[in-house]
Amino acid sequence: QVQLVESGGGLVQAGGSLSLSCEVSGTLFRVIAMGWYRQAPGEQRELVATINAGASTNYADSVKGRFTISRDSSWKTVYLQMNSLKPEDTAVYYCNVRAYLDYHHHDEFWGQGTQVTVSS
């Protein structure tokens, strides 16, 4: 069974930094992409950043130049380094993994979320 566990959220002042981690347990045949999404109160969940199997990255315009997504070589951990944080970055951050479980079947997995709060 595949599980994702996030860590690293917390409270930080505007302009500060936080680093999120997401550890993947269980067996994945081949990762398609790993990413981070966030959801603020009363808002829809939105993409923050993704990294695909070719190591190409994609960022929301609102975080470009401030956030960096990376992963370890085994595709078991994905990171999000967040710098120059703003109050509007306050949200629950969710880890996401899309992967093949065998040659034919792929699925999508989510972590439980970690709260990031940026005070002004």
Side-chain angles (χ1 to χ4, degrees), residues 7-64:
S7 61
L11 173 65
V12 65
Q13 287 189 331
S17 298
L18 279 176
S19 181
L20 304 183
S21 298
C22 172
E23 293 193 24
V24 181
S25 63
T27 301
L28 300 175
F29 179 68
R30 179 166 59 88
V31 173
I32 300 169
M34 307 178 87
W36 290 92
Y37 291 71
R38 67 186 182 188
Q39 187 169 18
E43 302 290 334
Q44 288 189 330
R45 191 172 298 188
E46 63 176 4
L47 179 147
V48 176
T50 61
I51 182 167
N52 68 17
S56 295
T57 56
N58 180 50
Y59 296 91
D61 287 343
S62 59
V63 307
K64 281 181 181 176

Side-chain angles (χ1 to χ4, degrees), residues 95-106:
C95 177
N96 172 274
V97 173
R98 289 182 291 123
Y100 278 91
L101 303 179
D102 56 39
Y103 281 106
H104 304 292
H105 302 95
H106 58 86

Side-chain angles (χ1 to χ4, degrees), residues 74-89:
S74 66
W75 290 96
K76 283 291 190 179
T77 307
V78 60
Y79 307 96
L80 186 68
Q81 177 64 42
M82 304 184 292
N83 299 326
S84 302
L85 282 160
K86 305 175 181 179
E88 50 264 43
D89 294 318

